[in-house]
Amino acid sequence: MGVSELRDSVGTEQLGASRPKTSSVVRPLDGGGARVVLYTSAECWRGAGISFVNIARGLERHGFQPHVVSLCAEVTEEFVQAGVPGTQLPRRKGEAWRLRKFLASFGAEVLLVDRAHDIRIGTLAVLGTRTALVSRYNHFRAKPPEDL
């Protein structure tokens, strides 16, 4: 049913009466200082890193405390140079356990990941905790990856 049919069926007076008298603007979410960890196991600086920098800046602008955790010195350094605080964890067996320990010590409320591998590690790291896991995905393909 279109607007004109709706007007005809209920009358213009009723439509006008149901509208709010003043317009309210919804403000962006205020993070209240919530700590968000952006996790990447990338072995080199790539497009996702640039996206993470932009996401981190937006989070900070809205009151969150973003922090990147990386497994590669080059990647960590790129984030730090871009003004995003970062920590490098060693790349070896026990990756999820080390990430879990970092999340607990940092007091992370959200873990943001973007690669299939990182989703699996992130899931193990937050399982049984109050830390939320968020997967960021760019729609480059007709459908999301199936190797999750």
Side-chain angles (χ1 to χ4, degrees):
M1 176 181 289
V3 173
S4 60
E5 292 89 6
L6 183 63
R7 277 196 183 117
D8 293 342
S9 69
V10 291
T12 2
E13 300 81 27
Q14 285 180 321
L15 279 177
S18 66
R19 289 186 187 148
K21 301 291 183 218
T22 59
S23 171
S24 61
V25 176
V26 177
R27 303 205 54 143
L29 181 66
D30 176 14
R35 294 174 170 218
V36 179
V37 171
L38 296 89
Y39 178 71
T40 180
S41 62
E43 296 175 349
C44 63
W45 188 247
R46 56 191 189 92
I50 295 164
S51 293
F52 268 20
V53 167
N54 291 327
I55 291 168
R57 287 178 179 160
L59 287 169
E60 189 172 45
R61 201 169 36 251
H62 292 290
F64 294 87
Q65 295 179 46
H67 189 95
V68 170
V69 172
S70 168
L71 303 180
C72 173
E74 173 195 350
V75 173
T76 304
E77 183 58 31
E78 289 285 348
F79 282 112
V80 171
Q81 285 181 8
V84 179
T87 298
Q88 182 183 337
L89 297 178
R91 182 185 302 276
R92 64 175 189 262
K93 193 173 184 177
E95 183 180 341
W97 183 249
R98 279 188 300 284
L99 178 58
R100 183 183 187 91
K101 286 170 52 178
F102 177 84
L103 294 171
S105 67
F106 183 70
E109 295 176 56
V110 177
L111 173 63
L112 186 118
V113 299
D114 82 326
R115 299 174 62 193
H117 171 81
D118 299 346
I119 292 170
R120 291 189 288 271
I121 295 299
T123 299
L124 291 172
V126 303
L127 200 61
T129 71
R130 294 185 160 269
T131 304
L133 178 64
V134 177
S135 174
R136 179 198 76 89
Y137 173 71
N138 281 340
H139 296 277
F140 292 123
R141 302 181 213 151
K143 62 181 187 171
E146 296 177 354
D147 64 343
L148 305 177

